[in-house]
């Protein structure tokens, strides 16, 4: 008996718009949650005070005192110095060298761990989710950008200095597309949901005879990442072209990841992963055919994430007891 | 006092043509060495018997008994299962699941460690060489292919399964060049010495007015990787084009490595690194301008390897006491 059976963990998902705060139990189920606006333009001390007070309140409301809480994990956008608990830089919330862990301890007298949000989501899928039971996993989230995380031997892999494991910023395509990072042709510029939507908009304009133009109601502002998949499934040739191109670029990025990290499994998160097997089936085929040493080396399966809307909180909570606290 | 002061290590560099065997001291100086033909077409038992007997003989000739030897490290081409001491696959020496460590112990009753040769070279530059004193380093060797190794916290990083850290097989260029791995446009297809020589041959044929055609004595078979650098330095426009293109591709691969691993330092090995600052100066400039989060993240310096012809043996030896055995 470890005495941890009834203890809980606080997982905080710090986003550009909202701060989502959850209490998880030993099975990483979210047993209570709340959300407050980030209002990131304020001084960071105020943002963190609100975060800390809301988390402390959530604990109390649910009948827990600090002694029953093992700790706090926070997933932050941007470049995070996890060892020192500092958010070094986040373009999203405009933070620059913010001592998040130290500041948060003023309100929550508990162990506080912070990490990049994509790293958290990766670990969350290992402690509870699509990669549960695996020791080595790669995670790619396909959203506004392409984020990623690598789990090696059950722990978040961070490289030598903060700012590594930027899996969305490996060289990928060849069209000279500008990437948000200032370089051209990164994976993010081809495999983010943003990139897919941009491509679909162009295709709809160039080919108004395509189903894409109809699906968006002749209004490009309504185009989303699902429409090109829907068009492809309906047999529209332009939709098919978009999806084939999208999957080829994404697969190329994944092959880079396999050739470097050889994970047990690759988990895809973000809105695009709602496509399920429409996405994973061709990706798995591409990987089998193109990874280095294909026939003599281990090739991981590609699957979709399972933690859904709670992924950020579960992932953040997993920082506290990364090996699981059920034993 | 650890009692290791006068002990030695055997480092074995298993190559396609020759097996180089060295004895190193606590400073990783090679104090004795020999070389035998690999003759890899024979059964692997014979190759390993010759290797083991030659190493045992070298020890004896130099006045050491097994009790004075801390262990044996072997660097092998190909995909190596370092945990189990097995060479899983090597195209170079045509080995398939060869239990190298177990077999070698028949002749050398010592701890035996094996790893991929590029991983060994990377660790060798950390224990003695261009990355000495650093805990995190990336190593790229530019030769027939592009090999690589990553050192994280003083240890070889191997990923989840054997066959990872294939740094030469990340997506790089956009010409559709076939890579030896079966994929197109890998870093190796643009940044190996082989690729540079192929490009120089084409350029010399297309532009016989260029210095390249003169430097190779009007004989493409004599073209080597130094000639395009020499032509560029002499002001030849085609030589300059080749080198600019080569460095751009190499830099792009290095930026991928920085964005993923954030090492303290990047070490370049292989024949091309004889170019020294002609190579590292533009690479460092490119990295400063193009790495993710450039101004707010750590950017490593690019330097050339220092272990020269002994790199394979020193690197292999470093497997035995990776943290150094001087303490």
């Amino acid at each position: 008996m470890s005495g941890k059976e009834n203890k809980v963990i606080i997982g905080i998902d710090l986003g550009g718009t909202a701060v989502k705060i959850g209490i998880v139990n030993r099975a990483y189920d979210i047993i209570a949650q709340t959300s407050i606006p980030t209002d990131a333009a304020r001084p960071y001390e105020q943002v963190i005070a609100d975060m800390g007070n809301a988390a402390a309140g959530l604990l109390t409301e649910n009948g827990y005192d600090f002694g029953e809480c093992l700790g706090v994990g926070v997933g932050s956008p941007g470049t995070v110095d996890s060892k020192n608990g500092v958010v070094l830089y986040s373009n999203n919330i405009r933070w620059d060298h913010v001592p998040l862990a130290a500041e948060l301890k003023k309100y929550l007298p508990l162990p506080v761990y912070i990490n990049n949000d994509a790293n958290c989501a990766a670990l969350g899928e290992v402690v509870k989710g699509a990669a549960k039971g695996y020791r080595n996993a790669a995670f790619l989230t396909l959203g506004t950008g392409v984020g990623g995380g690598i789990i090696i031997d059950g722990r978040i892999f961070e490289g030598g200095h903060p700012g590594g494991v930027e899996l969305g910023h490996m060289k990928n395509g060849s069209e000279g597309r500008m990437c948000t990072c200032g370089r051209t042709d990164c994976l993010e510029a081809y495999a983010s949901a943003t990139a897919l939507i941009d491509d679909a908009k162009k295709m709809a304009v160039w080919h108004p005879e395509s189903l894409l133009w109809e699906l968006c109601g002749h209004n490009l502002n309504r185009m989303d990442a699902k429409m090109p998949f829907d068009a492809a499934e309906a047999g529209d040739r332009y939709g098919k072209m978009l999806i084939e191109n999208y999957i080829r670029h994404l697969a190329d990025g994944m092959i880079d990841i396999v050739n470097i990290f050889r994970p047990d499994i690759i988990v895809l998160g973000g809105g695009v992963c709602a496509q399920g097997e429409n996405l994973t089936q061709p990706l798995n085929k591409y990987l089998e055919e193109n990874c280095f040493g294909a026939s003599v080396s281990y090739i991981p399966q590609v699957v979709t994430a399972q933690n859904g809307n709670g992924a950020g909180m579960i992932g953040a909570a997993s920082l506290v007891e990364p090996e699981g606290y059920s034993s």
Side-chain angles (χ1 to χ4, degrees), chain A residues 19 63 67-69 79 84 91 105 113 121 133 144 157-159 171 195 197-198 213 215 221-222 251 285 310:
Chain A
V19 181
E68 291 166 305
C69 183
T79 302
N84 295 303
N91 187 52
K105 278 187 192 183
Y113 302 87
T144 309
F157 175 76
E158 299 193 75
K171 206 79 177 174
I197 293 166
D198 282 353
W213 185 229
L215 287 173
N221 293 328
R222 292 195 196 146
K285 184 162 182 291

Side-chain angles (χ1 to χ4, degrees), chain A residues 177-217:
Chain A
R177 292 191 186 188
M178 289 303 302
C179 182
T180 54
C181 75
R183 198 180 175 205
T184 58
D185 289 329
C186 290
L187 177 61
E188 176 165 304
Y190 295 87
S192 61
T194 309
L196 178 57
I197 293 166
D198 282 353
D199 287 351
K201 286 178 178 175
K202 283 179 201 140
M203 196 66 98
V205 169
W206 293 333
H207 298 284
E209 73 274 26
S210 85
L211 190 56
L212 291 160
W213 185 229
E214 192 180 311
L215 287 173
C216 71

Side-chain angles (χ1 to χ4, degrees), chain A residues 243-257:
Chain A
I243 296 307
E244 277 167 23
N245 188 57
Y246 179 78
I247 284 177
R248 188 166 47 80
H249 283 289
L250 179 54
D252 270 333
M254 290 178 151
I255 292 163
D256 286 353
I257 291 170

